[in-house]
Amino acid sequence: MQKEFWDERFSVEEYIYGEEPSEWFRQIIDGMKPGRILIPGAGEGRDAVYAAKLGWEVYAFDQSEAGRNKAMKLAEKHKVAIHYIVTDAAEYDPGKNQFDLITMVFFHLPSDFRSDFHTKLIQWLRPGGTVLIEAFHLRQLNNTSGGPKNPDLLITANHLANDFKLIEITENLELTVELNEGTHHHGQAEVVRFTGIKRN
């Protein structure tokens, strides 16, 4: 999806995915020791701000200037600091062994780029670091609860198992869940939830 699409979508005053973090992201990060986190495709900043409130050093990026503006406004509201830049995923390169946690929540990537980007995530993780992904499954095409209508932007657990075979996969589940995240993620949804640990 293009920058113009997301700038237009995020230009409204309301937080279209809500101001609260992804519920699954909240469940996982609440039990973790704070460190340095990267959030690609950070959008309006709901997960980034929540992580900062827990004491994480937050780095985030998105291609949408409008998304960043709303994220920074949300961070100011909660009196936390986040490092958020506007860039394309193909251009971002923080260097190796930088993050204790990398989390992507509904960050839609085309199949011809996705595997290479996932390989980069592994390189950016520190040894012992965790990658956390929540994404819409291919079956989400049958639902009206959110997500892209282009099947090339949807995934399965097998896709993630192949992309992350070099790390220890601790969870990789295809689930039917109920979303209640603003006006654009609402209702029954088909998702994949993945966690993996880079052991060395």
Side-chain angles (χ1 to χ4, degrees):
M1 296 185 183
Q2 299 301 311
K3 177 183 185 300
E4 293 77 15
F5 172 89
W6 289 110
D7 276 337
E8 181 178 356
R9 175 162 283 196
F10 290 147
S11 65
V12 298
E13 185 174 350
E14 70 169 312
Y15 285 75
I16 61 174
Y17 300 111
E19 296 184 25
E20 296 299 315
S22 155
E23 187 57 38
W24 187 61
F25 172 74
R26 184 206 300 265
Q27 291 172 16
I28 299 296
I29 200 170
D30 277 357
M32 299 183 72
K33 178 182 177 181
R36 177 182 281 195
I37 182 175
L38 173 66
I39 305 179
E44 299 169 302
R46 60 193 181 115
D47 292 336
V49 169
Y50 185 75
K53 289 169 64 178
L54 294 179
W56 287 79
E57 182 182 0
V58 178
Y59 290 81
F61 71 84
D62 198 285
Q63 61 182 338
S64 170
E65 186 76 42
R68 181 188 182 277
N69 290 342
K70 291 174 80 172
M72 301 310 288
K73 182 179 178 181
L74 188 63
E76 183 179 2
K77 175 181 176 180
H78 290 278
K79 298 179 172 57
V80 295
I82 58 175
H83 308 278
Y84 190 135
I85 64 172
V86 176
T87 188
D88 188 87
E91 303 299 324
Y92 186 78
D93 186 8
K96 295 181 179 180
N97 303 322
Q98 293 296 313
F99 301 103
D100 301 293
L101 175 63
I102 299 176
T103 178
M104 298 198 307
V105 176
F106 302 124
F107 182 37
H108 316 299
L109 298 171
S111 60
D112 61 357
F113 174 70
R114 185 171 55 229
S115 293
D116 287 343
F117 187 71
H118 287 165
T119 297
K120 290 180 180 179
L121 297 189
I122 297 172
Q123 296 171 354
W124 299 341
L125 276 179
R126 293 169 174 165
T130 299
V131 60
L132 170 71
I133 296 173
E134 182 174 29
F136 285 116
H137 189 276
L138 274 169
R139 291 191 299 269
Q140 179 65 8
L141 286 172
N142 300 320
N143 295 327
T144 59
S145 53
K149 295 306 178 185
N150 178 357
D152 190 55
L153 297 173
L154 304 172
I155 65 168
T156 67
N158 281 339
H159 290 142
L160 295 178
N162 288 329
D163 288 354
F164 291 100
K165 57 190 174 186
L166 296 180
I167 67 174
E168 178 185 337
I169 297 172
T170 55
E171 183 174 57
N172 191 16
L173 301 176
E174 298 179 350
L175 301 168
T176 302
V177 300
E178 193 73 19
L179 295 179
N180 186 19
E181 302 176 340
T183 57
H184 282 58
H185 281 173
H186 196 83
Q188 183 173 292
E190 301 293 330
V191 302
V192 182
R193 290 176 172 174
F194 173 94
T195 57
I197 300 174
K198 179 180 177 179
R199 290 301 184 187
N200 51 52

